[in-house]
């Protein structure tokens, strides 16, 4: 399982960076590619803020927060002996996604987003990327584990 966790961690970063490179090469000219009708399309966007484009142009703030968060996650992952493998997976997913966006912020000054989900004329979800997906899925998994008291190994199953 530790190999799988490491593979998911590395794959999350690689998948994020490769898909962003493709988005730049294919979509930066302003085109949008429909994948599933008007529901899902790929559209290039540069996000200089956080989720939902909040706190625009706060690059150094996000870089600092990401470094602190990665240090905390690394400490929990490597130094806490009583967390289970699913908890380690959640941490790896969050860290991998955070590093994917961190690379963009550090190298470009913004994060490349391209996954564009629309619910008809009712709602256009903010454009996001693979790294965001890993952070969100890892966070949901971690919340689930904490809420149901499964983040740490129980005494009876080691």
């Amino acid at each position: 399982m530790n190999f799988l966790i490491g593979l998911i961690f590395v794959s999350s970063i690689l998948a994020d960076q490769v898909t962003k490179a493709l988005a730049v090469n294919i979509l930066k000219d302003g085109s949008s590619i429909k994948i599933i009708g008007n529901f899902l399309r790929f559209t290039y966007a540069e996000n200089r803020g956080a989720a939902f484009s909040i706190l625009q142009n706060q690059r150094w703030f996000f870089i600092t927060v990401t470094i602190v968060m990665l240090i905390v996650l690394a400490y929990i992952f490597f130094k806490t002996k009583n967390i289970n493998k699913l908890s380690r997976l959640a941490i790896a997913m969050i860290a991998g996604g955070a590093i994917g966006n961190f690379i963009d912020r550090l190298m470009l000054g913004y994060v490349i987003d391209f996954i564009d989900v629309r619910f008809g004329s009712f709602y256009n979800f903010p454009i996001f990327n693979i790294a965001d997906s890993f952070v969100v899925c890892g966070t949901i998994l971690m919340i689930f584990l904490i809420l149901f008291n499964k983040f740490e190994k129980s005494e009876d199953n080691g």
Side-chain angles (χ1 to χ4, degrees), residues 33 40-41:
I33 299 172
L40 175 65
R41 52 178 80 201

Side-chain angles (χ1 to χ4, degrees), residues 34-81:
K34 289 183 180 182
I35 305 300
I36 302 174
N38 285 324
F39 173 71
L40 175 65
R41 52 178 80 201
F42 291 155
T43 306
Y44 179 85
E46 296 174 359
N47 185 351
R48 289 173 166 71
F52 305 103
S53 297
I54 61 171
L55 296 171
Q56 288 290 303
N57 299 313
Q58 300 296 318
R59 178 181 182 204
W60 291 108
F61 170 76
F62 290 119
I63 287 172
T64 303
V65 168
T66 302
I67 290 169
V68 170
M69 184 202 61
L70 288 170
I71 290 169
V72 169
L73 290 173
Y75 179 83
I76 294 168
F77 188 91
F78 291 110
K79 295 292 185 182
T80 307
K81 301 298 181 199

